[in-house]
Amino acid sequence: SKSATVVSQTGNPQPRVHHDENEMASYNSEGLPNQGIDYYLAEDNIDEIMKSNEKKPYIVSLSGKTLSDNIEMLQRIVKLKPTARSKIAGIELNLACPNIVGKPTLAYDMDQLNDVLARVAKEMEIHYKPSSSTKMPVFGVKLPPYLDMIQLESVANIINKYEGSLISYITAINTFGNSLPIDVTVEQPFISANSGLAGMSGRATHATACANVWKFRKSLKPSIDIVGVGGVETGDDVIRLVLAGAKAVQVGTRHWKEGPACFERIAKETREWLSQHGYTSISQVYNQLKPWSKERANQARMLRKEAKQNQAANGESSDQVQSNEASLWKLISAILLVIVAILCADKGLLPSE
């Protein structure tokens, strides 16, 4: 679902999204436009959303303005009819946005993060006990990008305390906050809201997403899964995140630009990569990133060189085919002109000297 708040909101004024012309990054300052949590929990709405593919998981994302808002939305999930709640595969609590005015992004502040998870656990752990009669969707948290691996390890240590009792997965990474895309043609930001400051997503974030997934996989307890997010545009991008330790991969910006067709294309490219490399299942490459070696680096250079040579050869072959086709059409045209001239002469249609 869209990241939900307690009540619906329209978000920031337009324009609030900008895509770089070079396709490397996108920026948004949407302000969490959404229909409100009750819309995303309504059984009829869930059925409508899921009707195209009932096998896909439906995950409810919570992004309350305050901790109390998030607790309120969690309690509403608890109070759902069992039939409605059973259609929700997972809950994602967004810790990657500011929660308290004047405070840092929640998951960058270890004290805030400790307090929030302790409060959520106090309210919800009873419902996640095996003995509970309330069958709850799996619970996870969405995290911002970390550029400091010591900070990331601190976050992982906090999350590990709730393994088995609350947290089943994390989503890494959210957008890079406070980017400022500027339009130099008119000397102003591309985005009107928040003085032009926006979250950056897209291709430029991919390597950092891989690094965060890789480090979290090494730092989290094995039972806590990772959903990898950031700059996924191709099957190769999926493979990178899975190699780094992602159990699932999320596509955001590419879907924004390309639409739902991107999912099947990326899945097809992923299957092709697996087949070309001798794998029968994506689980075979999960968390299998190899350490750098000179031998593999040399092998990669040779493979890229061969690929370029084949591409060049195919290009020359294509040019030759086009050249041959052009010559053939010239010959056919010349023959047709001769035939027309003969017919005209035979009929006396050509002018006499």
Side-chain angles (χ1 to χ4, degrees), residues 326-342:
S327 298
L328 178 61
W329 280 111
K330 287 180 181 179
L331 178 60
I332 292 171
S333 298
I335 293 172
L336 288 173
L337 285 172
V338 170
I339 292 173
V340 169
I342 292 172

Side-chain angles (χ1 to χ4, degrees), residues 205-278:
T205 69
H206 185 64
T208 301
C210 289
N212 274 231
V213 168
W214 175 80
K215 187 62 175 176
F216 268 121
R217 185 64 284 155
K218 291 183 175 300
S219 304
L220 290 172
K221 292 182 178 180
S223 66
I224 299 177
D225 291 327
I226 301 172
V227 179
V229 190
V232 176
E233 297 185 344
T234 67
D236 283 1
D237 298 330
V238 172
I239 295 299
R240 290 188 189 99
L241 284 168
V242 175
L243 281 170
K247 268 289 182 72
V249 171
Q250 187 180 112
V251 181
T253 302
R254 189 69 257 167
H255 173 255
W256 213 343
K257 296 178 179 179
E258 189 176 330
C262 72
F263 296 127
E264 180 52 39
R265 175 184 60 77
I266 293 171
K268 179 175 180 289
E269 292 170 358
T270 302
R271 291 191 294 268
E272 289 173 350
W273 186 97
L274 292 169
S275 176
Q276 291 165 4
H277 289 78

Side-chain angles (χ1 to χ4, degrees), residues 74-145:
L74 286 167
Q75 292 293 358
R76 292 189 192 185
I77 295 174
V78 171
K79 294 173 183 176
L80 287 174
K81 293 189 301 182
T83 54
R85 195 170 54 245
S86 68
K87 295 177 181 180
I88 301 172
I91 300 169
E92 177 192 81
L93 180 61
N94 187 357
L95 303 179
C97 291
N99 189 46
I100 300 174
V101 176
K103 293 283 189 178
T105 294
L106 200 153
Y108 286 148
D109 183 327
M110 299 305 111
D111 290 336
Q112 272 198 100
L113 183 59
N114 258 316
D115 292 344
V116 166
L117 290 181
R119 172 75 186 282
V120 171
K122 181 180 178 181
E123 297 285 340
M124 301 303 296
E125 276 182 335
I126 187 172
H127 303 296
Y128 280 92
K129 288 182 177 180
S131 59
S132 173
S133 60
T134 305
K135 184 172 175 55
M136 290 291 290
V138 295
F139 182 89
V141 294
K142 186 173 188 176
L143 300 173

